[in-house]
Each structure stands twice: as C-alpha cells, then as structure tokens.
C-alpha cells in the first residue's frame, strides 16, 4: 500500500543514517538538506520503495542517489563491491541521461576523496550511459567492466534485458531509479517501462528497491502504485510517497496586452504582446518563455530579436529557441549557453518542461494558456533554481477566452489544485512486443507469463482472453488470413504444453524494431490533377475528414482523400478553414481544469445577478488576484453572453446553439461543452455520425476546448429541437463507444494510429536487416492489414488502435461521465436558435479555423464583426426594455432567450 509522507525528520536524525565521509562532503557542498531530502533519505536507507514528488530545484536527484552512493561505498569498505550493475537509472530523455552522468560524477568522486582524506580508501564507482547513441565498442567494454550505476532509457533497458551476455550483468541489480515518472506514466512508454521492470524483477534474486522522481503530479498515490506495481500474489507492493510538491514558493501573475483586445487590429495586439514580453525580459536576468506550438517558438524568437536589435537594448544572440525539431547539436549548444549565463531569453514549446539542468532562470512567461494546472506549475517551477528561490511566472493572455482560462488556472495553481494524471491502460501493442522479448529470454508457461504481466500496474486489469489473443496473433494463428500484408509469427507456440519460446531469426527484428515512440513523417499533398502542393505533418493529417478545409502555402485547400503518405486536395476559394494548420501541435485543455473554468463562468454569472456588473468586477479581481481591468474584460464577456441569449454555459449547463450562417449557406449546431478538446472530440464525432444518419447529409465538425460545432451545407435551417432531441436520445453514455467506433472506422486517425500500433506489435518492421523501411510503404501495408484483420474477432492490433484513439487521443471515459450526468439531469441541456450572429461564447468556436497565422488578420476581422453585431443587438434589446428572464431559484444561469428556449 502507499503511505504518503509530508513531514520531514530533523537533520540530526538523517545524518545518523549516512556514513561519516558522506556527511562531511555534503556539509562542505551544501548549506542544508532540502525538505525532499530530509523526507526521502531515511526511507531509502531503510529499503522502502519511494516516490519523491517535488518541484525542480528541490534536490530530488541527490535525495535518491545520496543514500544509494552511501550504500555502494559501504560495500566498497567491506570489499563486497563486485563487477556488476547495482543501480539502473531510467529517464525519458537521452539528454537528461548525459546530465545525470555529469551531475553524479561530482558527488561520487568528491565523496571518495573526502573518505581518502579521512584515511578510508574506497574503490572507484563506475557510471556509464547505455542508450541508442552508445557505440558498440563501449557496449563491449561494459561487458568486461560493467558500470555500478547504469544510466539508460526505457527503450534501451528493454534491449539490455534480452542481450544474452549483458543480461547477466543485470542479475545483481538492487536499485532502480526512474526519473520524470510523471512524463513516462502518461504515455505508452510508461507501460513499456512497467513491463521491463517486472521482467527485471523476475531476473534478480531479491526484490528491487524502486525509487521514482517526479515533478508536481496528482494523485500522488496512483503514480506511486504505477511505480511499484504488484507482488506475485497480485497484492499492491508497498511504497512511500514523499509529498514535497508544494515546498517551493511561487508567484504567478496574469497579464494581458494593454490595448483593446477586441477592437484593435492583430498587429496592434501583437505589438502590445511583445512590449509586455520585452519588459519582462529586461527586468530579469534570464527569462524562459513557453509557447504552445513549435512554429510559434521560431516566430516569437524572430520577433524578439528584431525588437532588441532595433532598440539596441540587447544583443539578438542573447535570445534563442529550443524545441524538438532542432538538431541535437543545436539543442545542446543552446542548453550550454543557457547554463553558462549567456542568454537573456529562451523560447520553448514543451522541450524544456522536463528536468534538464538549464542553470539559473529567474522568470517564466507562459504565452497563452498552458492548458493544465499541473503543466503551469511544472513550467513556472523551472524558475528559481534552489528550494528557497521564488518561482516567478507570468501568464500572458491573448484574448478573452484565454484570459478566462489563465485566470482560473492561476488561482488553481496558487491553491495547488492539480489535474489528475491519465495513464494508458493495458496497451496490447506494447504487450505483444514484450511477449516477443520474453520469448528471447527462455521458454515460458502461458500462465506464468500472464501472471508476470499482471504485476505491472498498467496491465493489472488485463483479462486472460486479451492475453491469449495477443499470444495467438504472435504465434501466427492468423498468418493465412494476413499473409497479403506479409505479417508472420514472431514466437514459437507449443500449444500442447501451453508454453511459448524463441523463434529463429526474431532476435535481430526485436533489436531493430522495439520501442514505443512512433516515427514522425511528412505527407505529400497533391491536387486532383496531380500537381504537388507541399507537405503536411502526419499528426495534422490524422484530424482531416473529407470536406475539411485548411491552409497550405497561403492558399486554401479542401481535403478529398488520402492514400498512404499522399493526400489529394482540391483548391477552394472563399471558404473558411475548418482545421488550422497548427491544430495537431496544440495542447488540449485538461478535463479537470476545463471543469473549473466552466464553474468559474457560472460563478461570474451568478455574481452579476446578485451584485451587478460593477461590484462583480471588484469581487472577481479580489477573489482571483487579477487587476480590475482584466476582471472587467471577464465580467463584460459573461454579461454579454447573458444579455444576448440568456444562458451562460457552465459546469452544470450545456448550451446548444442553433445558428444559420446565411453568408456560407450553412446550418450550425454549436455545443458549448467546456470539457476540453479530448472529451469534446469524442462526443462531437459520435454526434456528427448520428446527425449524418438522421438527415442523410455530410456533417463538418469543428472542435475546440470550449465546445464543438456541427455544420451542414443547406439553403435553409435544418436543425430543430425535434432533430436535436432525437439524436441526443440515441447517444446514451452506454452507446458512446459503439457509435464512436463506427464513426472512426474509416477515419484518417484510425488508419495512421493502426500503423503505429502494428509497428509496436512488430507486425510492420521499421527496420529490416539493418535498413530503414519506407514509411509510405508501411502505411500501405498497414491499411491492407487493417482491412484483412477486420473480420478477425478481437484482433489485438485493431482493438488497440481503437483503444488508443478513444482513450489516449480522445477521452471517452470522461465523455461517458458527461453523458451520464446529462442522463441523470445533473447537467442540463438548453437549446436556443439565435436570430442573428452566434452568441459571444461561440465566436472563437466559429472562427477556429481562422487561427491559422496566414489568416490571423481575417480572424480578427471576423471576431470584431461578430462582436459589433452582437453588441448592437444587445443595445437594441435594452433600448426596447427587453431583457433575459431572471434566473430560477438556486442561482442557475438564466434559462432562456426572447427568441427561443428548449430544455432537453
């Protein structure tokens, strides 16, 4: 079971547990132990599994390694330190591995020297990194002289477990240290690692002591259970969770461009944003700026450099970009310059969120919402490098929706209200890969292998049927059916003995193709007459449906179809884009945070009813710690929504807005569901299918964090209360997965995720006999395999592709909860057909496609036109004395509008 520890022992008690020379070195090197160290070291010394959750700069790494180094040197004193691996350190990043080797070298060498000065001679402690970058000669040297501390990645650990000679060196491992547990747990790499840890546990004679290092994360008990898994009797292993998440002081400020963010043109707003950025950079020694897409990183750096060069206040070379698309050499150069204090500003997307040692940063700017309280705290925590330094963060909102969001996230961060981590559960493609890896170790009984797999937290709920189907697929049970896709068996299955083992020739396939990270690829775009237009990221193509419109090279195209790594489009004029080009890069708003933003809308709405607009501004300013000018933007925004349609959608009210767009001859159904993009995507796709079936027409879908829009091309309004009611009645929570599965069956996202799953399950080989295979050819084969596997009941790769899309890309579980709440009447649906432009809260949903950089000015014009038309109509209503009805008792949002209202 998990024991959460929040109180630290006194320093005098902790030093008693460490050797004299270790304490002497520590006191010479550091002023004092940090809270995380005081809490963790005693439990690690006593042999407990420990999860340490605390911010950057609070000494997590030393908290884990100091007691381990102390124990290794104790073995050295006794002459018991052998040529074997004692510690396996795993991190998600090779760059982080290199950092750890460098950072551990100092205490290891200096503690040894301190002991020597005290007359105690200790043997050398060896540390080595073993990753895909490690040369074969270095790996051979590790066989002769194995490191006592092995630094690796999840992928390289899985390979090491089946390397016949190096595997022997792992049989004496006592400690496993997992860094950035929060990053791994939320992806398939975490499931991959969890199975490797159980296989390592099977290899060693005793029990591993597992130590996890995590930034701020919740719930800490769940992450601790992920780290340690289950014993052979399938009871949870014990773990101590050191909760030092909130020991570091934090200051968070919400800012907004000091211009009219509604009426001023895009260039004026942008200039104001950069003025704010410039002031923050000049006020601090080193500022880290986080943006939400890689393309934004380069744009912000380019603009900041131009400003600093023009004004002569900073050298342009003091501003740099850092993101995953840069070469490793460029990233290392930027990191080294940052550590040495040469940079005044660095702009990053997500690549600097993890714990790479970047030296001293004294301010963090989040340009637009980070989309999660947890991510906000992690990013801001990069500033103030020591535990006593204040982490200083500035949230710079760029429009009213963004302002509402960051205001709520800032308050939640101050109150330390975190989003819950979501972990992939029993991914079958990763399971298939590990069964192949296990077959290379020895012959396994099926029951024995199944029990080992279920010791992993990620696979604890795996059923015997699911396990058996994966074994049958790997054993070639479906080879005849799937031979056209050249998918053949990967293990030898002895059915009469109920065992499996190694198949000849598979070892090299496993070495070259294992891992959890899919290849990123470009997709070529051609017009219907075969003219090459350009390239799209594969992640973007996943979101396209026939009829979708997007911008490429400054021109507007409509998606027609795709075949492997080729997309066919037709040129269209004067059509609003439905999917912005950066859409696949954007971070979705976390469900927990989304609910709080929705709740905030309801709070402001009730304040307006109870105390009026002016006092509501003061109340919001005081309660949420924002300037009155920002609170005024928020209150006015909510008040405009109330005045126009009489319904403020919040956590208990979903507004369904029927709006006919005469200029586009399209009828729109706008769902104000502030549940985050992943939940909205699941519900929107299912509803789109049902609407399409009901009206026998193509439905276009626009999805945002705040809601979604279904669009039908029509010369007259088609949506009605009756149609809406029938469709919603058909979509019950219990039916969502079935309807969604039908909606996804021929989708781009399923086709491409199926390829990723087939690659992980070793049905498709990324590397064959040492040569990379063509991605386009793999996609063609994947589509053939997918088609052939559809008649096979429960085929694991196809089942996993559906699961990945519905549970990991979308959030079908929380979508089901939302639908259940609607079914129970806990969330009320209110339908309104608007006469005129859509309501204020709908504007950013309608204009979503215009968020493409090329059309930013058009987007601003559209938003301003909608805003002015709405405010004109509100003024006319007020002049006629028309106002929305008062809210019913209980303080709910007003339930209607003069035009129409229907409770569903």
């Amino acid at each position: 079971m998990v024991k959460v520890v929040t109180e630290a022992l006194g320093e005098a008690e902790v030093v008693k547990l460490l050797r004299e020379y270790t304490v002497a070195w520590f006191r010479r090197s550091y002023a004092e132990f940090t809270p995380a160290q005081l809490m963790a070291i005693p439990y690690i010394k006593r042999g407990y599994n420990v999860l340490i959750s605390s911010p950057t700069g609070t000494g997590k790494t030393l908290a884990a390694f100091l007691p381990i180094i102390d124990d290794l040197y104790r073995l050295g004193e006794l002459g018991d330190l052998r040529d074997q691996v004692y510690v396996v350190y795993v991190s998600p990043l090779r760059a982080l591995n290199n950092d750890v080797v460098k950072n551990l070298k100092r205490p290891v060498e200096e503690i040894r020297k301190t002991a020597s000065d005290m007359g105690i001679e200790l043997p050398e402690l060896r540390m080595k990194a073993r990753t895909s970058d490690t040369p074969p000669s270095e790996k051979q040297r590790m066989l002769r002289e194995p490191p006592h501390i092995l630094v690796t990645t999840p992928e390289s650990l899985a390979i090491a477990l089946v390397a016949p000679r190096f595997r022997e060196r792992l049989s004496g491992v006592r400690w496993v240290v997992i860094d950035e547990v929060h990053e791994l747990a939320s992806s398939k790499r975490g499931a991959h690692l969890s199975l490797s840890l159980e296989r390592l546990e099977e290899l060693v004679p005793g029990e591993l002591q597992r130590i996890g290092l995590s930034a701020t994360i919740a719930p800490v008990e769940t992450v601790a259970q992920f780290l340690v898994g289950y014993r052979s009797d399938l009871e949870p292993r014990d773990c101590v969770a050191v909760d030092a998440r909130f020991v570091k002081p934090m200051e968070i400020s919400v800012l907004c461009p000091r211009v009219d963010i509604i009426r001023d043109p895009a260039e004026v707003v942008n200039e104001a944003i950069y003025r704010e950025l410039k002031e923050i950079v000049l006020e601090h020694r080193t500022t880290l700026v986080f943006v939400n897409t890689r393309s934004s990183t380069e744009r912000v750096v380019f603009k900041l450099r131009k400003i600093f060069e023009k004004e002569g206040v900073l050298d342009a070379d003091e501003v740099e970009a850092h993101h995953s698309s840069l070469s490793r050499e460029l990233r290392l150069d930027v990191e080294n310059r940052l550590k040495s204090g040469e940079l005044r500003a660095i702009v990053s997307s997500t690549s600097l969120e993890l714990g790479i040692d970047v030296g001293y940063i004294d301010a963090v700017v989040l340009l637009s919402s980070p989309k999660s309280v947890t991510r906000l705290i992690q990013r801001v925590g990069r500033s103030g490098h020591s535990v006593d330094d204040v982490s200083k963060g500035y949230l710079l909102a760029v429009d009213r929706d963004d302002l509402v969001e960051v205001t709520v996230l800032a308050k939640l961060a101050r109150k330390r209200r975190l989003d819950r981590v979501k972990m992939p559960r029993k991914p079958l493609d990763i399971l298939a890969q590990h069964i192949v890896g296990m077959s290379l170790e020895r012959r396994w009984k099926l029951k024995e292998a199944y029990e080992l797999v279920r010791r992993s937290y990620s696979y604890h709920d795996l059923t015997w049927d699911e396990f058996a189907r994966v074994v049958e697929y790997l054993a070639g049970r479906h080879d005849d059916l799937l031979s056209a896709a050249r998918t053949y068996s990967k293990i030898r299955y002895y059915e009469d003995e109920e065992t499996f083992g190694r198949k000849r020739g598979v070892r090299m396939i496993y070495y070259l193709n294992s891992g959890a990270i899919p290849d990123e690829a470009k997709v070529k775009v051609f017009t219907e007459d075969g003219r090459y237009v350009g390239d799209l990221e594969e992640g973007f193509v996943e979101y396209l449906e026939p009829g979708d419109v997007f911008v490429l090279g400054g021109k507007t195209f409509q998606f027609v179809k795709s075949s492997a790594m080729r997309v066919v489009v037709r040129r269209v004029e004067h059509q609003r884009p439905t999917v912005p080009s950066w859409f696949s890069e954007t971070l979705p708003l976390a469900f927990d945070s989304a609910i709080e933003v929705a709740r905030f809308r309801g709070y402001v709405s009730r304040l307006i009813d109870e105390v009026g607009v002016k006092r509501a501004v003061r109340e919001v300013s005081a309660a949420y710690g924002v300037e009155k000018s920002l609170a005024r933007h928020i209150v006015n925004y909510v008040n405009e929504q109330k005045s126009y349609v009489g319904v403020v959608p919040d956590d208990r009210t979903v507004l369904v807005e029927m709006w006919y767009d005469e200029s586009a001859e399209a009828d729109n159904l706008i769902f104000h569901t502030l549940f985050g993009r992943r939940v909205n995507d699941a519900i929107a796709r299912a509803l789109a299918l049902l609407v399409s079936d009901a009206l026998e027409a193509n439905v276009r879908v626009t999805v945002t964090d705040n809601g979604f829009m279904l669009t039908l091309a029509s010369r007259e309004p088609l949506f009605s209360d009756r149609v809406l009611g029938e469709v919603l009645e058909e979509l019950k929570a219990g039916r969502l997965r079935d309807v969604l599965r039908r909606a996804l069956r021929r989708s781009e996202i399923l086709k491409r995720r199926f390829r990723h799953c087939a690659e992980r399950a070793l049905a498709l080989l990324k590397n064959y006999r040492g040569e990379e295979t063509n991605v386009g050819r793999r996609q063609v084969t994947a589509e053939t395999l997918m088609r052939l596997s559809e008649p096979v009941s429960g085929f694991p790769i196809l089942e996993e592709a559906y699961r990945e899309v519905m549970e990991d890309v979308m959030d079908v579980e929380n979508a089901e909860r939302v639908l259940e709440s609607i079914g129970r009447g806990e969330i009320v649906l209110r339908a309104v057909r608007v006469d005129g432009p859509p309501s204020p809260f709908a504007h950013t949903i309608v204009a979503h496609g215009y968020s493409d950089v090329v059309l930013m000015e058009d987007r601003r014009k559209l938003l301003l036109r909608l805003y002015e038309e709405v405010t004109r109509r509100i003024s006319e209503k007020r002049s006629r004395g028309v106002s929305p009805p008062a809210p019913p008792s209980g303080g709910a949002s007003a339930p209607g509008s003069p035009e129409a209202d229907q409770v569903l």
Side-chain angles (χ1 to χ4, degrees):
M1 299 301 289
V2 177
K3 173 185 177 182
V4 179
V5 174
T6 56
E7 298 294 326
L9 286 180
E11 188 167 314
E13 295 297 312
V14 172
V15 297
K16 288 178 186 176
L17 302 169
L18 299 169
R19 310 196 77 70
E20 189 180 356
Y21 44 78
T22 305
V23 175
W25 167 81
F26 185 88
R27 284 185 165 151
R28 193 167 62 239
S29 304
Y30 298 93
E32 58 186 6
F33 288 94
T34 67
Q37 291 164 350
L38 291 173
M39 284 188 252
I41 289 172
Y43 287 101
I44 294 173
K45 287 295 285 185
R46 291 170 188 150
Y48 286 90
N49 297 318
V50 176
L51 171 69
I52 308 171
S53 182
S54 67
T56 301
T58 54
K60 288 194 297 287
T61 306
L62 196 59
F65 273 105
L66 194 66
I68 293 173
I69 293 168
D70 188 72
D71 275 354
L72 289 173
Y73 275 138
R74 179 183 59 80
L75 292 174
E77 272 189 77
L78 298 172
D80 285 343
L81 191 68
R82 298 172 185 168
D83 279 347
Q84 66 179 46
V85 178
Y86 285 90
V87 186
V88 174
Y89 165 91
V90 182
S91 89
L93 294 178
R94 284 173 293 185
L96 193 52
N97 286 343
N98 297 330
D99 254 6
V100 165
V101 170
K102 282 190 288 186
N103 293 340
L104 283 182
K105 200 170 182 182
R106 176 178 158 241
V108 162
E109 292 178 352
E110 291 182 2
I111 290 172
R112 187 178 178 215
K113 184 178 183 306
T114 302
S116 181
D117 293 343
M118 297 169 69
I120 304 169
E121 296 304 321
L122 298 173
E124 178 191 7
L125 278 186
R126 296 188 297 269
M127 288 171 298
K128 292 282 174 65
R130 183 185 177 101
T131 69
S132 56
D133 290 337
T134 307
S137 59
E138 182 62 28
K139 290 179 180 177
Q140 286 297 316
R141 193 175 296 115
M142 287 185 199
L143 289 172
R144 298 189 300 271
E145 199 175 62
H148 299 111
I149 301 174
L150 176 69
V151 177
T152 190
T153 61
E155 292 75 20
S156 293
L157 175 60
I159 296 294
L161 282 168
V162 298
R165 293 173 63 196
F166 193 76
R167 175 180 168 81
E168 296 171 16
R169 301 291 187 265
L170 296 174
S171 61
V173 171
R174 297 188 186 180
W175 297 274
V176 177
V177 181
I178 311 297
D179 207 348
E180 307 290 352
V181 174
H182 60 285
E183 178 71 15
L184 289 167
S186 59
S187 73
K188 285 191 176 183
R189 295 182 78 196
H192 183 45
L193 176 61
S194 74
L195 286 177
S196 290
L197 292 180
E198 294 309 326
R199 289 166 57 195
L200 181 60
E201 188 90 41
E202 187 80 2
L203 175 64
V204 302
E207 281 196 353
L208 294 171
Q209 185 179 358
R210 306 186 192 201
I211 302 163
L213 310 179
S214 173
T216 308
I217 197 167
V220 72
E221 296 88 347
T222 303
V223 181
Q225 201 60 65
F226 164 81
L227 171 69
V228 299
Y230 296 82
R231 300 192 303 261
S232 55
D233 60 1
L234 297 183
E235 286 297 312
R237 291 191 182 101
D238 293 334
C239 186
V240 172
V242 169
D243 188 357
R245 292 174 292 176
F246 310 124
V247 298
K248 199 174 178 187
M250 186 174 287
E251 291 179 3
I252 300 172
S253 304
V254 176
L255 306 174
C256 199
R258 282 170 276 187
V259 292
D260 188 333
I261 59 173
I262 302 169
R263 293 185 175 85
D264 282 340
E267 65 269 16
V268 173
V269 175
N270 280 335
E271 290 297 327
I273 289 169
Y274 284 106
R275 276 198 303 274
E276 296 283 349
L277 269 180
K278 182 191 76 173
E279 289 175 16
I280 294 168
V281 170
L282 294 177
E283 284 172 10
H284 298 88
R285 194 174 80 189
T286 308
T287 302
L288 172 57
V289 181
F290 279 108
V291 293
N292 285 347
T293 65
R294 284 173 293 187
S295 53
S296 298
T297 306
E298 298 292 351
R299 283 201 312 277
V300 172
V301 167
F302 177 75
K303 184 70 174 175
L304 279 178
R305 282 176 166 175
K306 279 186 71 175
I307 291 170
F308 290 137
E309 264 187 329
K310 182 180 177 182
E311 299 185 8
V313 289
L314 277 184
D315 191 323
D317 290 338
E318 294 179 88
V319 182
E320 287 288 0
H322 189 288
H323 56 77
S324 57
S325 295
L326 294 174
S327 69
R328 182 170 177 268
E329 291 73 21
L330 280 175
R331 288 201 309 272
L332 284 174
D333 178 60
V334 170
E335 289 163 19
N336 289 331
R337 289 175 61 203
L338 185 58
K339 288 176 197 175
S340 61
E342 296 176 34
L343 299 180
R344 290 293 300 276
I346 183 166
V347 184
S348 175
S349 50
T350 57
S351 56
L352 285 178
E353 282 183 354
L354 299 187
I356 300 169
D357 182 10
V358 291
Y360 187 80
I361 291 169
D362 54 350
V364 169
V365 179
L366 280 66
L367 190 52
S368 195
S369 169
K371 299 294 178 181
S372 155
V373 185
T374 305
R375 187 176 294 110
L376 190 164
I377 291 174
Q378 286 170 3
R379 288 180 170 185
V380 172
R382 300 297 278 158
S383 67
H385 199 62
S386 75
V387 70
D388 295 325
D389 290 334
V390 174
S391 291
K392 192 183 292 186
Y394 299 90
L395 276 67
L396 186 48
V398 297
D399 58 38
R400 294 199 295 181
D401 280 317
D402 201 35
L403 177 59
V404 169
E405 204 170 289
V406 298
T407 296
V408 175
L409 294 184
K411 177 159 186 179
L412 293 172
R414 294 185 198 110
K415 293 171 68 177
R416 305 304 203 261
R417 292 269 303 279
L418 304 177
D419 300 294
R420 291 165 296 173
V421 67
K422 193 170 188 304
M423 306 177 195
R425 299 312 301 263
K426 52 184 183 183
L428 300 180
D429 50 354
I430 296 294
L431 174 61
Q433 193 178 121
H434 274 269
I435 290 173
V436 174
M438 291 167 72
S439 76
L440 300 176
E441 298 169 3
R442 61 181 174 87
R443 189 183 288 197
W444 290 78
K445 293 180 180 177
L446 282 184
K447 292 282 187 186
E448 180 188 19
Y450 175 61
E451 286 165 6
L452 180 145
V453 167
R454 288 190 62 213
R455 297 206 300 258
S456 154
Y457 177 84
S458 302
Y459 290 91
H460 190 60
D461 298 329
L462 184 76
T463 67
W464 173 258
D465 284 346
E466 289 167 329
F467 177 79
R469 280 199 291 266
V470 173
V471 171
E472 287 170 0
Y473 144 68
L474 290 170
R477 179 64 57 86
H478 311 296
D479 276 8
D480 291 345
L481 184 64
L482 308 179
S483 59
R486 298 182 181 181
T487 298
Y488 304 111
S489 62
K490 299 295 184 298
I491 62 173
R492 195 166 291 282
Y493 180 35
Y494 304 91
E495 195 165 356
D496 54 335
E497 301 175 14
E498 293 191 327
T499 62
F500 67 89
R502 178 170 63 91
K503 183 180 179 183
R504 188 177 177 184
V506 170
R507 184 178 296 277
M508 191 54 63
I509 287 174
Y510 183 81
Y511 284 171
L512 296 175
N513 294 277
S514 62
I517 305 172
D519 286 346
E520 286 192 3
K522 296 278 190 180
V523 181
K524 294 190 177 299
V525 181
F526 295 86
T527 56
E528 289 174 300
D529 59 4
R531 185 169 56 84
Y532 173 65
V533 176
D535 294 338
L536 291 171
E537 294 285 346
E538 190 177 11
F540 174 74
V541 176
E542 284 185 343
Y543 288 95
L544 295 178
E545 297 285 340
D548 273 337
V549 177
F550 62 92
V551 174
L552 181 61
K555 296 176 181 174
T556 314
F557 296 94
Q558 187 175 58
F559 176 66
V560 177
K561 63 180 180 178
S562 79
S563 174
M565 305 308 286
R566 180 187 177 104
V567 160
V568 177
V569 298
R570 67 171 61 99
R571 181 87 167 88
V572 290
E573 300 283 353
H574 312 302
Q575 283 203 36
R576 187 171 67 240
T578 57
V579 187
S581 65
W582 46 255
F583 186 69
S584 62
E585 291 185 54
T586 56
L587 300 163
L589 180 61
F591 178 73
D592 294 342
S593 291
I595 293 293
E596 293 298 330
V597 176
R599 190 169 289 140
F600 175 66
R601 282 179 171 181
Y603 160 76
V604 176
S605 175
R606 289 189 295 276
L607 265 184
I608 293 169
D609 290 335
E610 292 163 7
V611 301
V613 169
K614 286 186 179 179
R615 191 168 157 195
V617 169
R618 293 196 297 272
E619 295 271 355
V620 169
S621 174
Y624 282 79
V626 295
E627 294 178 4
K628 285 185 181 175
S629 59
L630 305 188
R632 191 172 297 112
H633 275 309
I634 294 167
V635 172
N636 287 343
Y637 189 26
V638 174
N639 196 42
E640 287 161 13
Q641 178 74 16
K642 286 175 72 72
S643 301
Y644 189 63
V645 292
V647 182
V648 173
D650 58 18
D651 60 315
R652 293 298 171 201
T653 308
V654 168
L655 170 62
V656 185
E657 188 172 343
M658 292 174 276
W659 167 61
Y660 184 73
D661 184 359
E662 293 181 358
S663 62
E665 291 191 339
D667 203 17
N668 300 277
L669 206 56
I670 305 169
F671 283 76
H672 294 262
T673 47
L674 215 169
F675 302 120
R677 191 176 82 209
R678 295 173 64 232
V679 167
N680 289 343
D681 199 4
I683 298 174
R685 286 187 189 244
L687 277 177
L689 178 70
L690 296 177
V691 169
S692 180
D693 289 348
L695 298 178
E696 298 181 347
N698 290 327
V699 179
R700 212 166 61 217
V701 182
T702 302
V703 180
T704 74
D705 286 315
N706 292 2
F708 59 89
M709 179 168 69
L710 308 182
T711 303
L712 282 169
S714 169
R715 294 191 175 181
E716 60 181 1
L718 289 177
F719 291 120
S720 64
D721 297 338
R722 181 187 58 78
V723 170
L724 182 57
E726 287 173 0
V727 169
L728 290 171
E729 181 63 27
E730 197 172 340
L731 187 64
K732 301 290 187 183
R735 288 202 59 217
L736 178 60
R737 288 178 192 252
D738 291 338
V739 176
L740 194 50
R741 189 174 174 118
R742 197 155 57 89
L744 290 169
R745 191 167 175 225
R746 293 287 178 258
S747 67
E748 287 297 317
I749 193 167
L750 186 70
K751 286 196 296 188
R752 295 180 189 282
R753 295 291 171 141
F754 181 89
R755 190 193 86 229
H756 296 167
C757 294
E759 289 168 354
R760 293 190 198 98
L762 306 180
L764 299 175
L765 304 183
K766 296 183 284 187
N767 193 307
Y768 185 64
R769 295 182 176 177
E771 291 189 11
E772 289 288 329
T773 57
N774 180 275
V775 178
R777 191 166 296 170
R778 293 205 303 267
Q779 184 63 43
V780 170
T781 307
E783 290 174 24
T784 302
L785 177 59
M786 183 173 157
R787 188 175 65 254
L788 294 171
S789 67
E790 282 179 339
V792 180
S793 176
F795 186 66
I797 300 175
L798 185 57
E799 291 302 311
E800 175 55 26
Y802 276 114
R803 189 212 64 79
E804 181 178 321
V805 174
M806 289 196 285
E807 294 184 11
D808 299 348
V809 180
M810 300 174 186
D811 186 356
V812 71
E813 292 174 44
N814 280 320
E816 286 173 326
R817 290 192 183 101
V818 167
L819 292 174
E820 285 165 3
S821 293
I822 291 171
R824 291 192 297 265
E826 296 164 357
I827 295 177
V828 176
L829 292 182
R830 300 198 180 278
V832 173
R833 178 163 286 281
V834 294
D835 177 20
S839 72
F841 283 4
H843 293 179
T844 50
I845 301 173
V846 171
H848 182 60
Y850 278 89
S851 295
D852 200 287
V853 177
V854 179
L855 298 174
M856 181 59 78
E857 187 57 44
D858 291 336
R859 177 179 183 269
R860 295 282 304 173
K861 288 176 181 174
L862 172 65
L863 288 171
L864 179 57
R865 193 179 79 240
L866 292 172
Y867 172 76
E868 289 181 337
E869 178 65 16
V870 164
T871 52
R872 183 182 67 79
R873 286 173 177 256
I874 291 173
S875 296
E876 288 176 356
K877 285 182 185 180
R878 286 174 179 162
S879 67
R880 298 196 310 266
V882 178
S883 60
S889 59
S893 299
S897 105
E899 283 78 21
D901 180 62
Q902 176 70 38
V903 180
L904 301 170

